[in-house]
Amino acid sequence: MIKAGIVGGTGYTGVELLRLLALHPGVAVHAVTSRSDAGKRVDAVYPNLRGHIDKVFVEPELNSLSECGVVFFATPNGTAMRMAQALLDKGIKIIDLAADFRLKDGAVWEKWYGEPHACPCLLSEAVYGLPEAQRSAVRNARLLANPGCYPTSVQLALLPLIEAKAIHLDNLVADVKSGASGAGRKAELSLLMSESGESFKAYAVDGHRHLPEIEQELTQAAGMPVGLTFVPHLLPMIRGIHATVYARVKDDTLDFQQLFETRYRDEVFVDVLPAGSHPDTRNVRGSNRCQLAIHRPQQGNALVILSVIDNLVKGAAGQAVQNMNLMFGLPETQGLEAIGLYP
Amino acid sequence: MIKAGIVGGTGYTGVELLRLLALHPGVAVHAVTSRSDAGKRVDAVYPNLRGHIDKVFVEPELNSLSECGVVFFATPNGTAMRMAQALLDKGIKIIDLAADFRLKDGAVWEKWYGEPHACPCLLSEAVYGLPEAQRSAVRNARLLANPGCYPTSVQLALLPLIEAKAIHLDNLVADVKSGASGAGRKAELSLLMSESGESFKAYAVDGHRHLPEIEQELTQAAGMPVGLTFVPHLLPMIRGIHATVYARVKDDTLDFQQLFETRYRDEVFVDVLPAGSHPDTRNVRGSNRCQLAIHRPQQGNALVILSVIDNLVKGAAGQAVQNMNLMFGLPETQGLEAIGLYP
Amino acid sequence: MIKAGIVGGTGYTGVELLRLLALHPGVAVHAVTSRSDAGKRVDAVYPNLRGHIDKVFVEPELNSLSECGVVFFATPNGTAMRMAQALLDKGIKIIDLAADFRLKDGAVWEKWYGEPHACPCLLSEAVYGLPEAQRSAVRNARLLANPGCYPTSVQLALLPLIEAKAIHLDNLVADVKSGASGAGRKAELSLLMSESGESFKAYAVDGHRHLPEIEQELTQAAGMPVGLTFVPHLLPMIRGIHATVYARVKDDTLDFQQLFETRYRDEVFVDVLPAGSHPDTRNVRGSNRCQLAIHRPQQGNALVILSVIDNLVKGAAGQAVQNMNLMFGLPETQGLEAIGLYP
Amino acid sequence: MIKAGIVGGTGYTGVELLRLLALHPGVAVHAVTSRSDAGKRVDAVYPNLRGHIDKVFVEPELNSLSECGVVFFATPNGTAMRMAQALLDKGIKIIDLAADFRLKDGAVWEKWYGEPHACPCLLSEAVYGLPEAQRSAVRNARLLANPGCYPTSVQLALLPLIEAKAIHLDNLVADVKSGASGAGRKAELSLLMSESGESFKAYAVDGHRHLPEIEQELTQAAGMPVGLTFVPHLLPMIRGIHATVYARVKDDTLDFQQLFETRYRDEVFVDVLPAGSHPDTRNVRGSNRCQLAIHRPQQGNALVILSVIDNLVKGAAGQAVQNMNLMFGLPETQGLEAIGLYP
């Protein structure tokens, strides 16, 4: 039984981790930290967990975590990088759901996150944990950077095409839409029901923090730079990401449907829908699955790839558990069998 | 392994049954019928089930069901009563999620459902399957009438008070609000997103079909007639029922919080929240749980009981699985462990 | 042209007042104050007002308001009572959309609002501005207390019955549901899209601040105390209130439909729907109208009155403009002609 | 006073026309037709119109319309083309809100709409009524084709760039998202609250009927063919369209913000937001306005134009009234002053 610690258990990725780990047969939740709610029962803050988690939030200190086999950081950016070395030194594995270890280049990290990286020497060791791209590295990781929600949806849409050198790389477009839970559990005016309900908007068009992460990974897959325009949008709903990705065909003799089906044949969490499909975010709600559809409108030179995930599961906590399973030699799907909640 | 048949697998209660049974360790889904979708793959109609159900919809005929140990009817009212006797004759147990066997009096049934009952002789045998009230009868049932969604939420709110003779029975009020999925998967104008989104209304104030069912069961529990005003409302959301039930205190020396906690102490699917709580429907979304809170405003003579369920789970498919578990001697919670999907 | 000032122009009632006053032919918006946004253009904060309001938010000081003929307070409770006397002394009329002047008894005010009233001597002069009940007093008011949103919906549902002595008064129930905008534009966790979307709950069951206001006005109309259980709920939508009010018939020879139609025959903003109707909140969205329906289920002794308003219009800013029109001798409907925005 | 007829008054564009025309000082609604609701009062079907429209739906026959000065078709595609010539022969002007007269080429029309055009000789006379592009032609039109909702949002985003020859035309992308009311008031499963609420998807990726209309108009503006990938999506909300349009810069010395501000300086219904803005659909809800923002992420060679409208107003009924005002020499804004309903 793996003892798991969760640092930052009061955000949406934290409570989603608790939902998944509470029923995971190979894991015992050992400690859940929260600066703001320390001393309160976890199930008093999250009544959906009553009867499933019998813990009290504790302060985020090393002592509380020292018996854990793995510690998840479901914290704001900038937290994990300050505690990582000490935990690794105790032989504790780390899975960071924030962005502290996703970028390889400390200077790029500093540019986008607005402060110097506190632990740059670990950046090269950290494994970027998209299992469908890096499974063997994940298995051996001590320090795992869990991908962002937008980057997961976009990379799964583009990797087969990039690996097959099937598209032009200079002018990709990723128009991505996220439910409000992606913005986290923060008391901000713009996230109020009355502000973000029954309305839709783009944001951060001039540069979102997930852009360098996507560029880094796609560039690595391509072996050359990619040009990507990435525009995130806020949907008037809670869970779900839909990426609509546009690329231009390079080799038009390819069967793109076949290409995707072959690439993901053995991936249990990536589901290529039949030709002509339009995935709904609702069909993956609460599940760790990405559903994909590939279109080539009017057999022209444009490809449109549709990619949906639940931002809190395959886009965060579910992928973290998938990575944990790999890191500890457990079956990759353990604790992740839930079916999408439709309707 | 119990072989299960589902008649009417294309409605919301049908697909929810499939979601639950697909992961139930003691059940194999043997046949799923649909008049409208016969011949199509189940997972082509419900892509959330891809990889979980490898079946094709078949016509609703006895032959398809003859090897089943249990048949669920997730059909419109008036279907189960026409097939029940033939199935029972083959030794197949029946769980009807519609209303055909909920009322004991055929004349009352005819009044509310607008046609003579096709099988009145079975009405007395049928067991009304609210396990928290009738567990031992459920265990022995061949023919089980699964309660309606509204009646489940209202009865669980009132049973402790009625059993304890703690309230006046002549003037109860149940103001109940349901998500749109409670109205079923029917192409009706009034259920469109553009009609029922961002709006709220009452309906059927002059008499809803769930009224006689609630009156029958409360009258039985009380041993005398109850006077109930029941008003259903349509919420601009998908899943969830919230009943707000009003009663007048008869014995004001009672500790009502304690009364509820004691009554439901051993009920794993009924969760009495701490005094002062206000349950959210979201905390039971996707789970088989009812959460309750008891209030006595300003210590006056009015009681207000708040009761939330997921209409498709504890209000339909989950309760049906709970009943099946009891009827077949399985652990009552098997296949029903899911935690409410928050947020 | 009346010069209007708005104190607290950054909340939802403030911006709704601006929307209405910007197109009102008899009013010029002279000053809009905001502590938090002083110095910013109004239409930079509220882009829906671009081209309609050419003002900059100013600090809430007397000087800015001294040329106004009327000042609206769209502020938190406790603000208007500190500025009212000074404005009245300058001959400026006041319309307070908050609760400072709604209660006649300073001790009751202090009990519910948690501080001593700063200006108790004005409580008796202030007119409670429900025009359908107090039109002539409103016409002569200097200091007008605009009713709360819940109280407006409940009073319009009960006044005809109380005035006609048609119901028992000891055990009324008002089960009322409000869209999220009723909670105001405040950065609170519980109001986030991810918290209040796709979910429903009651709140403040043990006592909401609108209760004493309703009790005061109904008691006055009845000439005797009324016993009311009032339970507010939060709807997963933005605008709209639906009150479901329960009463027991005293005189069962009455034609209740006729009673309501007669009572409101000359009221342009109260619309009694045909018998058997179920009002939708959407049909009054953005309009100053209350729609009512009266039911007597199965001709028993229970009455159910359904009452819908837009909480920001007839429940706040629209009613304030209606009151202003009366106070200044303008046509009562001026600036309030908008039709409900369906769908 | 212009006598207006509305053919097809029971859909969302029909009822929205009624909402606008009921308060238009220069128009009297003379006849409203409906095949399905003939004989019913208009305000019985649409209670938001009570007190504003005192009409009964009539059958869609020429006789009912013969006294009109203008007839609006708010019908399914294929209706207006069968009645147009007869109305024109009586001197009645026509505004078709459907697609019958939007395309100039009858063969293209037949390809996309699946039947031969019934009245091809009128295609060349019909004026495509985007006033911001064709104001003088609109003024002189007898037969006006009101643009589609998607095409309005996309053209207003691209016209300034195309007219200024500022972008490459071979690889444009329009990723457009619409509220559910854009799909009309049709009893279809996919439009149910339970299906389209809390979910998001693309549809018709392989070819939507609005594509040829956009291509025709952009090609005409450019004087050469344009290559456009157009992907529509369904938002979990009711009203509003958000187009996110991607183009590559050709002349990078241009000030694109300035270009848009200059192009639309005199357009009262097109509002170019300050640089750096992200328009919300809510800010134009219920108003006839398009709000635009222009971004050039990281000063690269990609342009991103954000364009929002209310699909039922500037995308349908409001634009139809704007066109009517021009065709009859009325002030262009008459009856269209409403401010966006925020929140």
Side-chain angles (χ1 to χ4, degrees):
Chain A
M1 205 66 134
I2 305 163
K3 288 186 181 173
I6 299 179
V7 181
T10 54
Y12 291 138
T13 52
V15 66
E16 186 71 354
L17 264 175
L18 286 167
R19 187 179 72 89
L20 296 172
L21 295 178
L23 299 178
H24 193 296
V27 177
V29 174
H30 181 72
V32 190
T33 83
S34 164
R35 230 176 264 287
S36 56
D37 288 323
K40 291 189 197 165
R41 283 186 60 87
V42 171
D43 63 5
V45 179
Y46 295 118
N48 64 321
L49 296 173
R50 283 169 59 90
H52 298 284
I53 297 276
D54 188 28
K55 290 282 174 191
V56 168
F57 286 112
V58 296
E59 290 284 346
E61 288 160 6
L62 277 180
N63 278 353
S64 319
L65 303 167
S66 59
E67 292 179 32
C68 294
V70 63
V71 168
F72 294 89
F73 284 87
T75 45
N77 300 317
T79 306
M81 67 184 185
R82 293 190 164 80
M83 296 176 71
Q85 190 64 60
L87 290 166
L88 291 176
D89 289 347
K90 290 174 181 285
I92 300 170
K93 296 185 182 182
I94 295 175
I95 298 176
D96 179 23
L97 285 80
D100 291 12
F101 296 103
R102 290 184 194 152
L103 299 182
K104 293 300 171 195
D105 183 333
V108 176
W109 198 92
E110 180 172 348
K111 174 185 160 197
W112 286 91
Y113 292 93
E115 60 169 327
H117 198 283
C119 187
C121 49
L122 284 175
L123 288 176
S124 61
E125 177 186 345
V127 172
Y128 186 85
L130 188 69
E132 291 76 10
Q134 312 275 1
R135 185 166 284 107
S136 64
V138 170
R139 283 193 211 279
N140 299 312
R142 286 196 311 163
L143 171 55
L144 188 125
N146 210 55
C149 49
Y150 287 127
T152 296
S153 69
V154 173
Q155 289 174 68
L156 292 174
L158 281 172
L159 282 177
L161 296 167
I162 288 177
E163 291 168 357
K165 302 188 188 309
I167 53 173
H168 293 282
L169 298 175
D170 55 337
N171 195 24
L172 302 169
V173 170
D175 187 290
V176 196
K177 303 89 177 172
S178 174
S181 63
R185 190 161 170 267
K186 288 174 297 193
E188 288 182 6
L189 278 181
S190 65
L191 298 176
L192 294 185
M193 176 80 185
S194 298
E195 301 289 316
S196 56
E198 276 293 301
S199 193
F200 182 78
K201 66 169 191 174
Y203 66 100
V205 176
D206 294 319
H208 184 281
R209 286 172 170 182
H210 284 176
L211 175 60
E213 174 186 343
I214 304 174
E215 287 180 333
Q216 166 185 289
E217 295 301 308
L218 296 185
T219 295
Q220 188 191 332
M224 56 183 292
V226 300
L228 172 71
T229 304
F230 164 57
V231 176
H233 302 74
L234 181 61
L235 284 165
M237 59 187 228
I238 299 174
R239 280 179 185 245
I241 282 183
H242 185 292
T244 313
V245 180
Y246 300 85
R248 282 171 305 138
V249 172
K250 198 161 150 191
D251 175 354
D252 72 357
T253 65
L254 280 172
D255 178 334
F256 294 97
Q257 177 73 23
Q258 187 61 46
L259 177 69
F260 273 76
E261 289 184 3
T262 303
R263 173 60 177 84
Y264 290 127
R265 180 183 298 138
D266 299 326
E267 294 295 345
V268 67
F269 293 124
V270 181
D271 180 18
V272 180
L273 297 177
S277 298
H278 297 93
D280 292 79
T281 61
R282 69 172 187 231
N283 286 324
V284 299
R285 180 164 44 214
S287 91
N288 195 48
R289 185 179 273 185
C290 173
Q291 288 191 326
L292 291 167
I294 302 91
H295 290 260
R296 190 176 167 191
Q298 292 130 28
Q299 295 307 304
N301 75 348
L303 282 181
V304 181
I305 307 99
L306 313 174
S307 168
V308 299
I309 59 171
D310 183 323
N311 53 298
L312 293 178
V313 192
K314 184 62 178 165
Q319 187 144 270
V321 172
Q322 184 182 356
N323 281 316
M324 178 199 72
N325 287 341
L326 290 167
M327 291 161 74
F328 285 85
L330 301 174
E332 190 167 343
T333 61
Q334 204 170 71
L336 297 171
E337 297 86 355
I339 298 175
L341 193 71
Y342 162 86
Chain B
M1 203 67 134
I2 304 165
K3 289 185 181 174
I6 299 177
V7 181
T10 55
Y12 292 137
T13 52
V15 66
E16 186 72 353
L17 264 176
L18 287 168
R19 186 178 73 89
L20 296 172
L21 295 178
L23 299 179
H24 193 296
V27 177
V29 174
H30 182 72
V32 190
T33 83
S34 164
R35 231 176 262 289
S36 56
D37 287 323
K40 290 188 197 166
R41 284 185 60 87
V42 170
D43 64 3
V45 178
Y46 295 118
N48 64 321
L49 296 174
R50 283 168 61 91
H52 298 285
I53 297 277
D54 188 29
K55 292 282 174 190
V56 168
F57 286 114
V58 295
E59 291 285 345
E61 288 161 4
L62 277 180
N63 278 354
S64 319
L65 304 167
S66 58
E67 291 178 34
C68 293
V70 63
V71 168
F72 295 90
F73 283 88
T75 46
N77 300 319
T79 306
M81 69 185 183
R82 293 191 163 79
M83 295 175 72
Q85 191 63 63
L87 290 166
L88 292 176
D89 289 348
K90 289 172 182 285
I92 300 170
K93 295 185 182 180
I94 294 175
I95 298 176
D96 180 23
L97 285 80
D100 291 13
F101 297 102
R102 290 183 194 153
L103 300 182
K104 293 300 171 195
D105 184 332
V108 176
W109 198 92
E110 180 172 348
K111 174 185 160 198
W112 286 90
Y113 291 93
E115 60 169 328
H117 198 282
C119 187
C121 49
L122 284 175
L123 288 176
S124 61
E125 178 185 345
V127 172
Y128 186 85
L130 187 70
E132 290 77 11
Q134 312 275 0
R135 185 167 283 107
S136 64
V138 170
R139 284 194 211 276
N140 299 311
R142 286 196 310 163
L143 171 55
L144 188 125
N146 209 57
C149 49
Y150 286 127
T152 296
S153 68
V154 174
Q155 290 174 66
L156 292 174
L158 281 171
L159 282 176
L161 296 167
I162 288 178
E163 292 168 357
K165 302 189 188 308
I167 53 172
H168 293 282
L169 298 175
D170 57 336
N171 196 23
L172 302 170
V173 170
D175 187 291
V176 196
K177 304 87 177 173
S178 174
S181 62
R185 192 163 170 265
K186 288 174 296 192
E188 288 182 7
L189 278 180
S190 65
L191 299 175
L192 295 185
M193 176 80 185
S194 298
E195 301 288 318
S196 56
E198 276 293 300
S199 193
F200 183 78
K201 66 169 191 176
Y203 66 100
V205 176
D206 294 319
H208 184 282
R209 286 172 169 180
H210 284 175
L211 175 61
E213 174 186 342
I214 305 173
E215 288 181 332
Q216 166 185 290
E217 295 301 308
L218 295 185
T219 294
Q220 189 191 333
M224 57 182 292
V226 300
L228 173 70
T229 303
F230 165 57
V231 176
H233 302 73
L234 181 61
L235 284 165
M237 59 186 229
I238 299 175
R239 281 178 183 245
I241 281 183
H242 185 293
T244 313
V245 181
Y246 300 85
R248 280 172 307 139
V249 171
K250 197 161 151 191
D251 175 355
D252 73 358
T253 65
L254 280 172
D255 179 334
F256 294 97
Q257 177 72 23
Q258 186 61 46
L259 177 69
F260 273 76
E261 289 183 4
T262 303
R263 173 59 177 86
Y264 290 128
R265 181 183 298 137
D266 299 326
E267 295 295 345
V268 67
F269 294 123
V270 182
D271 180 18
V272 180
L273 297 178
S277 299
H278 298 92
D280 292 80
T281 62
R282 68 171 188 232
N283 286 325
V284 298
R285 181 164 46 212
S287 91
N288 194 50
R289 185 179 273 185
C290 174
Q291 288 191 327
L292 291 167
I294 301 91
H295 291 260
R296 190 175 165 192
Q298 289 128 29
Q299 295 308 305
N301 75 348
L303 282 181
V304 180
I305 307 99
L306 313 175
S307 168
V308 299
I309 59 171
D310 182 323
N311 54 298
L312 294 178
V313 192
K314 184 62 178 167
Q319 187 144 272
V321 172
Q322 184 183 355
N323 281 316
M324 179 199 71
N325 286 343
L326 290 167
M327 291 161 73
F328 285 85
L330 301 175
E332 190 167 341
T333 60
Q334 204 170 71
L336 296 171
E337 297 86 355
I339 298 176
L341 193 71
Y342 161 86
Chain C
M1 204 67 132
I2 305 163
K3 288 185 181 174
I6 300 178
V7 181
T10 55
Y12 292 138
T13 52
V15 65
E16 186 71 354
L17 264 176
L18 287 168
R19 187 179 72 89
L20 295 172
L21 295 178
L23 299 179
H24 192 297
V27 177
V29 174
H30 181 72
V32 190
T33 83
S34 164
R35 231 176 263 288
S36 56
D37 287 322
K40 291 189 197 167
R41 282 186 61 88
V42 171
D43 64 4
V45 179
Y46 296 118
N48 64 321
L49 296 174
R50 283 168 60 88
H52 298 285
I53 297 276
D54 189 28
K55 291 281 174 192
V56 168
F57 287 113
V58 297
E59 291 284 346
E61 288 161 5
L62 278 180
N63 277 353
S64 320
L65 304 166
S66 57
E67 292 179 33
C68 292
V70 62
V71 168
F72 294 89
F73 283 87
T75 46
N77 300 318
T79 306
M81 68 185 185
R82 295 191 161 79
M83 296 175 73
Q85 191 63 62
L87 290 166
L88 292 175
D89 288 349
K90 291 174 181 284
I92 300 171
K93 297 185 182 181
I94 293 175
I95 298 177
D96 180 24
L97 285 80
D100 290 13
F101 296 103
R102 290 183 194 153
L103 299 181
K104 293 300 172 197
D105 184 330
V108 176
W109 198 92
E110 180 171 347
K111 174 185 161 197
W112 286 90
Y113 292 94
E115 60 170 327
H117 198 283
C119 187
C121 49
L122 284 175
L123 287 177
S124 60
E125 177 185 345
V127 172
Y128 186 85
L130 188 69
E132 291 76 10
Q134 313 275 359
R135 185 166 284 106
S136 63
V138 170
R139 284 194 213 277
N140 299 312
R142 287 196 310 162
L143 170 56
L144 188 125
N146 209 55
C149 49
Y150 286 128
T152 296
S153 68
V154 173
Q155 290 174 67
L156 292 174
L158 281 172
L159 281 177
L161 296 167
I162 288 177
E163 291 168 359
K165 303 188 188 309
I167 53 172
H168 293 282
L169 298 175
D170 56 336
N171 195 24
L172 301 170
V173 170
D175 187 290
V176 196
K177 303 88 177 173
S178 173
S181 63
R185 191 162 170 265
K186 289 174 296 194
E188 288 182 6
L189 278 181
S190 65
L191 299 175
L192 294 185
M193 175 80 183
S194 298
E195 300 290 317
S196 56
E198 276 293 300
S199 193
F200 182 78
K201 66 169 192 175
Y203 66 99
V205 175
D206 294 319
H208 184 282
R209 286 172 168 180
H210 283 176
L211 176 61
E213 173 185 343
I214 305 174
E215 286 180 333
Q216 166 185 288
E217 295 300 308
L218 295 185
T219 293
Q220 188 190 334
M224 56 184 291
V226 300
L228 173 70
T229 304
F230 164 58
V231 176
H233 302 74
L234 181 60
L235 284 165
M237 58 188 229
I238 300 174
R239 280 179 185 245
I241 280 183
H242 184 292
T244 313
V245 180
Y246 301 84
R248 281 172 305 138
V249 171
K250 197 162 150 191
D251 176 354
D252 73 357
T253 64
L254 280 172
D255 179 334
F256 294 96
Q257 177 72 24
Q258 187 60 46
L259 177 69
F260 274 76
E261 289 183 4
T262 303
R263 172 61 177 82
Y264 290 128
R265 181 183 297 138
D266 299 325
E267 293 295 345
V268 67
F269 292 124
V270 181
D271 179 19
V272 179
L273 297 178
S277 297
H278 298 93
D280 292 79
T281 60
R282 69 172 186 231
N283 287 325
V284 298
R285 180 164 45 215
S287 91
N288 195 48
R289 185 179 271 186
C290 174
Q291 288 191 326
L292 291 167
I294 301 92
H295 290 260
R296 190 175 167 193
Q298 292 127 30
Q299 296 307 305
N301 75 348
L303 282 181
V304 181
I305 307 99
L306 313 175
S307 168
V308 299
I309 59 171
D310 183 323
N311 53 297
L312 294 178
V313 192
K314 184 62 178 166
Q319 187 145 271
V321 172
Q322 184 183 355
N323 281 316
M324 178 199 72
N325 287 341
L326 289 167
M327 290 161 74
F328 286 85
L330 302 175
E332 190 167 343
T333 61
Q334 204 170 69
L336 296 171
E337 298 86 355
I339 298 175
L341 193 70
Y342 162 86
Chain D
M1 203 65 135
I2 304 164
K3 289 186 181 174
I6 299 178
V7 182
T10 55
Y12 291 137
T13 52
V15 66
E16 185 72 353
L17 264 175
L18 287 167
R19 186 178 73 87
L20 295 172
L21 295 179
L23 299 179
H24 192 297
V27 177
V29 174
H30 181 72
V32 190
T33 84
S34 164
R35 231 177 263 289
S36 56
D37 287 323
K40 291 187 196 165
R41 284 185 60 86
V42 170
D43 64 4
V45 179
Y46 295 118
N48 64 320
L49 296 173
R50 284 168 59 89
H52 298 285
I53 297 276
D54 189 29
K55 291 283 175 189
V56 168
F57 286 114
V58 296
E59 290 284 345
E61 289 161 5
L62 278 180
N63 278 353
S64 319
L65 304 167
S66 58
E67 292 178 33
C68 294
V70 63
V71 168
F72 293 90
F73 283 87
T75 46
N77 300 319
T79 306
M81 69 184 183
R82 293 191 163 80
M83 295 175 72
Q85 190 64 62
L87 290 166
L88 292 177
D89 289 347
K90 289 173 182 284
I92 300 170
K93 295 186 183 180
I94 294 174
I95 297 177
D96 181 24
L97 284 80
D100 290 14
F101 296 103
R102 290 181 194 154
L103 300 181
K104 293 299 171 195
D105 183 331
V108 176
W109 197 92
E110 179 171 348
K111 175 185 159 196
W112 285 89
Y113 291 93
E115 59 169 328
H117 198 283
C119 187
C121 49
L122 285 174
L123 289 177
S124 60
E125 177 185 345
V127 172
Y128 186 85
L130 188 69
E132 290 77 11
Q134 313 275 359
R135 185 167 283 108
S136 64
V138 170
R139 284 194 211 277
N140 299 311
R142 286 195 313 162
L143 171 56
L144 188 125
N146 209 57
C149 50
Y150 285 127
T152 296
S153 68
V154 174
Q155 289 174 68
L156 293 173
L158 280 171
L159 281 176
L161 295 167
I162 288 177
E163 291 168 359
K165 301 189 189 309
I167 53 172
H168 293 282
L169 297 175
D170 56 337
N171 196 23
L172 302 170
V173 170
D175 188 289
V176 195
K177 304 87 176 172
S178 174
S181 62
R185 192 162 169 265
K186 287 175 298 193
E188 288 182 7
L189 279 181
S190 65
L191 299 175
L192 295 185
M193 176 80 184
S194 298
E195 301 289 317
S196 55
E198 276 294 299
S199 193
F200 182 78
K201 65 170 192 173
Y203 66 100
V205 176
D206 295 318
H208 184 283
R209 286 172 169 180
H210 283 176
L211 175 60
E213 174 185 342
I214 305 173
E215 287 181 333
Q216 167 185 289
E217 296 301 308
L218 296 185
T219 294
Q220 189 191 331
M224 56 183 291
V226 299
L228 173 70
T229 303
F230 164 59
V231 176
H233 303 73
L234 181 61
L235 284 165
M237 59 186 229
I238 299 175
R239 280 178 185 246
I241 282 184
H242 184 292
T244 314
V245 180
Y246 300 85
R248 281 171 306 138
V249 171
K250 198 161 150 191
D251 175 356
D252 71 358
T253 65
L254 281 172
D255 178 335
F256 293 98
Q257 177 72 24
Q258 186 61 46
L259 177 68
F260 274 75
E261 290 183 2
T262 303
R263 173 60 177 85
Y264 291 128
R265 181 184 297 136
D266 300 326
E267 294 295 345
V268 66
F269 293 123
V270 181
D271 179 18
V272 179
L273 298 178
S277 298
H278 297 94
D280 292 79
T281 60
R282 69 173 187 231
N283 286 326
V284 299
R285 181 165 44 215
S287 91
N288 194 49
R289 184 180 275 187
C290 174
Q291 288 190 327
L292 292 167
I294 301 92
H295 290 260
R296 190 174 166 193
Q298 290 127 31
Q299 295 308 304
N301 74 349
L303 282 181
V304 181
I305 308 100
L306 312 174
S307 168
V308 300
I309 58 171
D310 183 323
N311 53 297
L312 294 178
V313 192
K314 184 61 178 167
Q319 186 144 270
V321 172
Q322 184 182 357
N323 280 316
M324 179 200 72
N325 286 342
L326 290 167
M327 291 161 72
F328 286 85
L330 302 174
E332 190 167 342
T333 61
Q334 203 169 71
L336 296 171
E337 296 86 355
I339 298 176
L341 192 71
Y342 162 87

